[in-house]
Amino acid sequence: MSLLRARALNGLLGHLTPPDREAIRSSAHALHSLLRSQGARNGGTVLVAYGGGKDSSYTVAFTRGMQLLLGRWYGDMFTLRTATNWHAGMPRAVMENIDRVYTALGMHEDPACELLLVEGSRVRPFAVGIPRSREVTARNRADILMTGHRTHADARPTFCNACNLSMANAFGVAASHQQGADVIITGDSAEEQRAYTAWINRLARQVPRHGRPGQPSGFGKVLGALDDVARAYFEDIHGSQGLRGGHGVQSEVLPHLQFFSIYASTAYEAGSHWDLLTHHLGFVFDDLAFSFTESDCANPALMAHLRGLKAQYLFHRGYQEGLEEYAAFALRLMRRKEFPQPLIDTMAARYAAPEAQAVLRRRVNAFAREAYGLDERQLVCMVYSPFTGAGAGLRRYLTSRAPHLARCEVAIRHLLSSQDGDGDTDDRGRLAAELEKLSGLELGQLRTLYGSDLNPGLVQSILRGDPHKERIRTRHAPDGPEIGETLSGR
């Protein structure tokens, strides 16, 4: 084991710049002092939330370096626990990147490393080829559809709200696993952490609060506030009868759990450690997993696709125009996040040529079918959001996209408002089946949408504090006036 650890440390240090090597050494001393001050058992347990992207891969490598240095200096080391919140938006390429990083850092064979996958409340050891949970995939699918139909498929709420809450839950689940974690490594500054906490508390003041035993403090208190937000959010989105298990946030963590930031110690952007990332760790920027500001999720490609569908079917301007509109926004977002220029150029080229856009459309549709069981017809239905708000957009949708059902509008409204429809039970069953094919939603979910408002207040509150949006100038008709619209995404 000592030989494996020596090789892992030497290989890592050999691909770091001198300032980063010094950063790991100084951070290791600081982390060691923190763990000692906590009285952590058996050297302590240090948690890294590992999404599988470029930044979290560097964080894992940095933390592994601290662990190995402390082992060399003091003869013992903390347990390094990595936890990946596994969701349907992660293509296999992400799991393969994670596996290569673990291999390069000698973590698979090291008993001082706990490599975990978190799916809802379930924790499993990491394995690159492990089958994804059907339950979690179904929950991800329902979250996307039910939120998308409340927002005309606005990108951030549709894909990110539920995902961010599940990521917070994964923090809690991983931090409370077995004997618990003592420290969480973060790349956020103290100022950013305070801003996140203030934003969470502002949201929590808008929802019912639930008492918790033991009066949690610190990060447990923050997770408790997020649990309250999650409960209110998902009850609004799914209705009280449609809630599934796993929609809360685990908040029972060790009371002394603290964050340890490496923000001030090392350059965090990928360009500063490109050799380490791409050569030593074997990180690959896959054509699907690398989508605009994300290097571990294909959902941003779906966001761009939905903008193209909205431009084509709602605005009658053409799919290509919508795709280019979203790409221009997301490329500006990449620049604000200081992505290396070669990655920005790669993404710009991917969305530039019309022939490439046609290939991209087919590929993203294939991903939607594989990951979520959704076809383009169901994505178009979500863009229209025809059932929400007592079917405010139903007539327009039926006329444009399902003319064979236009004469059934009254029967559909009766069906969705839980009233008896015209005709016998078999007729209503066939109508419900047709609506399910069009939308991907069951009758109970459609009825929840029918009784719900578009753009609910909590969704708007979450988006209000979100920096991943921009006011753009656009047109909602081919010859319509230029108007302002807020575009969100990743």
Side-chain angles (χ1 to χ4, degrees), residues 222-475:
V222 174
L223 290 173
L226 275 171
D227 183 42
D228 292 334
V229 172
R231 293 190 198 193
Y233 176 82
F234 288 117
E235 183 169 354
D236 181 37
I237 293 299
H238 293 285
S240 57
Q241 303 301 314
L243 281 176
R244 300 168 183 254
H247 271 127
V249 173
Q250 167 64 265
S251 60
E252 296 179 5
V253 297
L254 293 178
H256 65 259
L257 176 64
Q258 289 182 245
F259 280 91
F260 182 90
S261 176
I262 62 173
Y263 173 82
S265 303
T266 183
Y268 204 56
E269 67 275 6
S272 300
H273 40 263
W274 191 258
D275 179 65
L276 169 73
L277 192 65
T278 59
H279 292 108
H280 183 58
L281 300 182
F283 191 92
V284 175
F285 288 89
D286 176 75
D287 285 348
L288 196 56
F290 170 44
S291 295
F292 296 112
T293 63
E294 298 297 300
S295 53
D296 55 10
C297 179
N299 284 341
L302 262 173
M303 297 177 190
H305 181 48
L306 283 166
R307 185 65 186 183
L309 296 177
K310 186 175 287 188
Q312 179 177 355
Y313 294 108
L314 246 61
F315 305 154
H316 304 290
R317 289 172 41 214
Y319 179 83
Q320 180 180 340
E321 288 187 40
L323 206 64
E324 291 172 349
E325 204 167 52
Y326 186 90
F329 152 73
L331 290 170
R332 289 191 294 271
L333 197 58
M334 291 180 74
R335 294 185 186 98
R336 290 206 298 269
K337 288 178 169 285
E338 299 181 341
F339 267 66
Q341 190 60 45
L343 294 183
I344 297 174
D345 293 342
T346 296
M347 194 57 56
R350 187 184 300 178
Y351 282 82
E355 58 273 17
Q357 293 171 356
V359 173
L360 191 67
R361 183 172 185 168
R362 290 194 297 271
R363 189 169 189 186
V364 174
N365 272 329
F367 168 72
R369 284 192 300 271
E370 179 183 347
Y372 300 111
L374 298 173
D375 58 34
E376 187 171 288
R377 176 176 57 175
Q378 292 160 344
L379 296 176
V380 170
C381 183
M382 183 166 62
V383 163
Y384 275 89
S385 300
F387 310 107
T388 308
L394 182 59
R395 181 169 300 175
R396 180 187 183 190
Y397 170 72
L398 294 177
T399 301
S400 300
R401 305 306 311 154
H404 63 293
L405 293 179
R407 61 182 178 81
C408 303
E409 180 185 348
V410 172
I412 292 172
R413 291 184 181 278
H414 285 172
L415 181 68
L416 298 184
S417 61
S418 300
Q419 300 175 22
D420 289 337
D422 296 330
D424 59 25
T425 302
D426 288 343
D427 288 338
R428 293 199 299 274
R430 283 191 290 269
L431 190 56
E434 186 67 25
L435 295 178
E436 183 173 347
K437 288 180 184 178
L438 290 171
S439 67
L441 292 165
E442 298 173 359
L443 179 57
Q445 294 170 312
L446 294 171
R447 284 174 169 166
T448 295
L449 291 174
Y450 197 78
S452 303
D453 295 330
L454 277 164
N455 300 311
L458 190 53
V459 168
Q460 294 182 56
S461 295
I462 294 172
L463 190 58
R464 195 174 298 122
D466 194 328
H468 303 94
K469 62 181 186 297
E470 183 180 283
R471 195 74 177 166
I472 67 166
R473 303 298 295 177
T474 187
R475 287 183 171 83

Side-chain angles (χ1 to χ4, degrees), residues 121-232:
S121 60
R122 184 184 184 189
V123 179
R124 293 197 275 178
F126 174 86
V128 68
I130 196 169
R132 184 177 278 113
S133 162
R134 291 183 180 180
E135 179 186 351
V136 171
T137 299
R139 184 163 68 242
N140 293 162
R141 180 182 189 273
D143 290 339
I144 287 170
L145 285 173
M146 293 298 285
T147 306
H149 274 270
R150 298 287 294 278
T151 62
H152 289 295
D154 191 0
R156 279 289 278 173
T158 298
F159 291 98
C160 300
N161 284 1
C163 188
N164 288 339
L165 289 169
S166 76
M167 183 171 63
N169 176 63
F171 262 114
V173 169
S176 61
H177 181 61
Q178 294 181 343
Q179 301 303 311
D182 302 287
V183 170
I184 298 177
I185 304 296
T186 179
D188 296 329
S189 67
E191 181 180 359
E192 288 172 318
Q193 292 175 55
R194 286 192 294 270
Y196 291 147
T197 301
W199 177 68
I200 289 165
N201 288 333
R202 281 197 299 272
L203 288 176
R205 286 194 290 270
Q206 302 176 41
V207 304
R209 302 305 300 269
H210 299 83
R212 290 174 176 81
Q215 296 182 333
S217 59
F219 189 49
K221 186 176 182 179
V222 174
L223 290 173
L226 275 171
D227 183 42
D228 292 334
V229 172
R231 293 190 198 193

Side-chain angles (χ1 to χ4, degrees), residues 84-88 90 95 117-119 124 130-132 136:
T84 298
N85 181 39
W86 201 18
H87 58 86
M90 294 170 60
M95 299 290 281
L117 284 175
V118 179
E119 296 178 286
R124 293 197 275 178
I130 196 169
R132 184 177 278 113
V136 171

